[in-house]
Amino acid sequence: MLHLTHIAVDFATLPLRPEVFTIGPFGGWGPFSLRWYSLSYIAAIVIGWWLLAKMIKLPGSPMTSEQLDSFITWATLGVIIGGRLGYVLFYNLPQYVAQPLNILRVWDGGMSSHGGIAGVILGCIGFGLANRVNGLRVLDYVATVSPIGLGLGRLANFVNGELWGRPTGTDWGVIFPGAGPEPRYPSQLFEFALEGVLLFSIMAMLFWGTRARLRPGLLAGVFGVAYGVSRFIVEFFREPDVQIGFLSTGLTMGQTLTIPMTIIGAILLARALARPPLPAPVPDADQKPA
């Protein structure tokens, strides 16, 4: 009989490192490094922009190509500011109260996916008001491509060897540096599979294969519910943040923040299904925001 006694993967033996490349130093300036985590944000914005440009060519789009170019600025600021403030408020507030200027040091890490999502929602609302378009329909389109950023971010977390899972209690798993000798769940890859690959597949199928885009709030609602359920489940395999641990409810902070998102998503979904869809647009309506 074949016995597998050493099936845990030692992360230190993998050909992974946080930096894509490092150059310098230059004179009095230190070396410059491009990190995979930063690259994941850049790639998500570029790919999302490219996909949105294709999506708004369908008749009945809520915005024009010119408006999309302006919207990307709103979305980028929403992700960065929302992600950073979410991390500060929900995960490490005492540290930043003591050293408030460190809030600006985004290159040191510390971003919240829930905060980033909230920032994008506010960006869609602000963009809609500023451009007199339906911000909820813009949010539907953005929700369709958002899993790309979530998935790439989780891959970067794994490459960085951070946000690891709980001990598996078995001989299989990944032994992460700084996490002790126990094999742990690669929860970053679980999140990549659920919040990235699976969620993007669902959203793309609904957008391209149905008329869901003509029901304001439906795609955003599906995203909220599907992401909320996925994140809630994965948190059972993910190690709670060391500075917080488990809350008094027995849940993690990630699970707690996911509950209102899921509820709001369900409300949007129910509201969208209860109302008739927008009239089927004519073929030349792609330059006429609905």
Side-chain angles (χ1 to χ4, degrees):
M1 180 179 295
L2 179 63
H3 295 279
L4 299 179
T5 57
H6 300 288
I7 55 178
V9 176
D10 187 347
F11 185 87
T13 65
L14 300 177
L16 301 175
R17 61 177 186 174
E19 299 83 14
V20 182
F21 62 80
T22 301
I23 58 176
F26 303 99
W29 297 88
F32 169 80
S33 296
L34 176 63
R35 301 174 66 90
W36 287 107
Y37 194 71
S38 300
L39 186 60
S40 72
Y41 274 79
I42 297 171
I45 292 170
V46 172
I47 296 173
W49 191 350
W50 177 75
L51 284 176
L52 285 171
K54 292 184 174 297
M55 293 162 62
I56 64 173
K57 290 180 181 179
L58 292 178
S61 167
M63 57 183 163
T64 65
S65 297
E66 292 75 16
Q67 289 171 329
L68 172 61
D69 293 340
S70 171
F71 170 73
I72 294 302
T73 301
W74 289 80
T76 302
L77 290 175
V79 169
I80 296 175
I81 296 175
R84 185 59 170 175
L85 290 181
Y87 177 78
V88 170
L89 293 174
F90 298 126
Y91 290 94
N92 234 331
L93 184 58
Q95 172 188 334
Y96 291 103
V97 168
Q99 297 176 307
L101 290 180
N102 284 349
I103 295 176
L104 302 177
R105 297 178 62 88
V106 294
W107 55 87
D108 287 340
M111 300 287 280
S112 163
S113 57
H114 290 96
I117 292 171
V120 170
I121 293 173
L122 292 177
C124 290
I125 295 173
F127 172 80
L129 293 174
N131 292 272
R132 297 183 179 180
V133 300
N134 190 327
L136 182 57
R137 293 203 63 220
V138 173
L139 181 60
D140 283 334
Y141 278 58
V142 175
T144 303
V145 302
S146 291
I148 296 172
L150 294 171
L152 291 177
R154 295 313 178 191
L155 280 182
N157 290 147
F158 181 77
V159 171
N160 288 347
E162 61 190 4
L163 304 184
W164 50 71
R166 305 181 192 183
T168 64
T170 66
D171 290 334
W172 76 273
V174 180
I175 301 174
F176 290 96
E182 309 97 337
R184 294 177 175 269
Y185 292 110
S187 56
Q188 313 96 319
L189 300 183
F190 296 173
E191 291 188 85
F192 165 72
L194 289 178
E195 302 167 14
V197 177
L198 179 60
L199 184 52
F200 177 74
S201 300
I202 293 172
M203 300 302 296
M205 179 187 67
L206 288 174
F207 184 90
W208 295 102
T210 73
R211 289 184 173 271
R213 62 188 176 86
L214 299 179
R215 289 183 177 271
L218 191 148
L219 290 168
V222 170
F223 174 88
V225 173
Y227 173 78
V229 172
S230 298
R231 179 66 184 269
F232 197 91
I233 292 173
V234 171
E235 285 285 325
F236 286 112
F237 299 92
R238 176 174 163 175
E239 184 76 12
D241 297 87
V242 63
Q243 72 275 21
I244 298 177
F246 290 99
L247 303 182
S248 59
T249 58
L251 301 177
T252 66
M253 178 61 78
Q255 288 174 317
T256 302
L257 295 175
T258 291
I259 292 174
M261 177 181 295
T262 306
I263 294 174
I264 294 172
I267 293 173
L268 287 175
L269 183 57
R271 178 176 176 271
L273 292 175
R275 298 185 175 188
L278 298 175
V282 294
D284 63 346
D286 56 335
Q287 295 300 319
K288 302 175 183 178

